[in-house]
Amino acid sequence: MLPDGALMVVVGDVGGHGLGAIAIMAELHQATRAYALQGRSPAEITTQLAANLAGEGDETLATAVVAHLTPGERRLTWSSAGHPPPLLIAGSSTRYLEQVHGPILGAAPGHRYGQSELPLPPGCRLLLYSDGLVERRGASLSLGLDAFAAAASAGTAPGPDPAGGPGPGGGLENLCDGILAEITAPSGRDDDVCLLAIGLD
């Protein structure tokens, strides 16, 4: 949460495993928080993170989506650095925000990342996630994205309650639980899974 009441959210993934990857992830997390509190835009943040990662002196790569949400104005500004696209659910419509504003962090240190802006309708849901949720060894990424979108759409269908809330019982927690149960079961995942859901009334 930023001092002006806006919200900055970030989901990313660092290549590799072990303590080295964990250390890089922690550095990127802390740097992102500091840049957000300085009032930098999503594009400025991804550009600086790419420069920071290049300074590590190795071939470590990372992906990220940095998103700035102004709830009162329902305005979303985001910058994607080689990361799977956010999923926007508005009513019965489900679509990916497929704009890519630059390559994977660390692949092109001098690249200046762009950003996109989108007005959000009331009652929408925005889902950000790690690639472990949609990627599976030996399977097409497009199939994983299709399955994720289908599970999210099913989870926001009107439930049986009189209020007609999304999914059985309604709420973001139930939406996430339903998606994870559908996508990760029964065979599990080879990679870590992260799912971040944001709802606007």
Side-chain angles (χ1 to χ4, degrees), residues 68 89 95 126 138 150 169 174 178:
H68 180 276
I89 306 168
R95 70 182 180 99
L126 182 69
N174 286 333

Side-chain angles (χ1 to χ4, degrees), residues 109-176:
H111 182 79
R112 297 191 63 84
Y113 288 76
Q115 62 185 28
S116 297
E117 187 172 306
L118 180 72
L120 298 176
C124 70
R125 302 289 184 263
L126 182 69
L127 303 181
L128 289 81
Y129 51 95
S130 62
D131 57 7
L133 193 60
V134 294
E135 290 183 349
R136 181 165 290 184
R137 192 171 302 165
S140 167
L141 176 59
S142 62
L143 292 178
L145 291 170
D146 289 345
F148 175 59
S153 182
T156 55
D161 59 295
L172 290 177
E173 185 174 351
N174 286 333
L175 171 62
C176 291

Side-chain angles (χ1 to χ4, degrees), residues 2 5 13 49 54-56 63 66 76 101 107 122 126 136 139 166 192:
L2 302 179
D13 189 34
L49 290 178
E56 295 294 330
T63 66
V66 181
L76 175 72
H101 304 100
L126 182 69
R136 181 165 290 184
D192 295 331

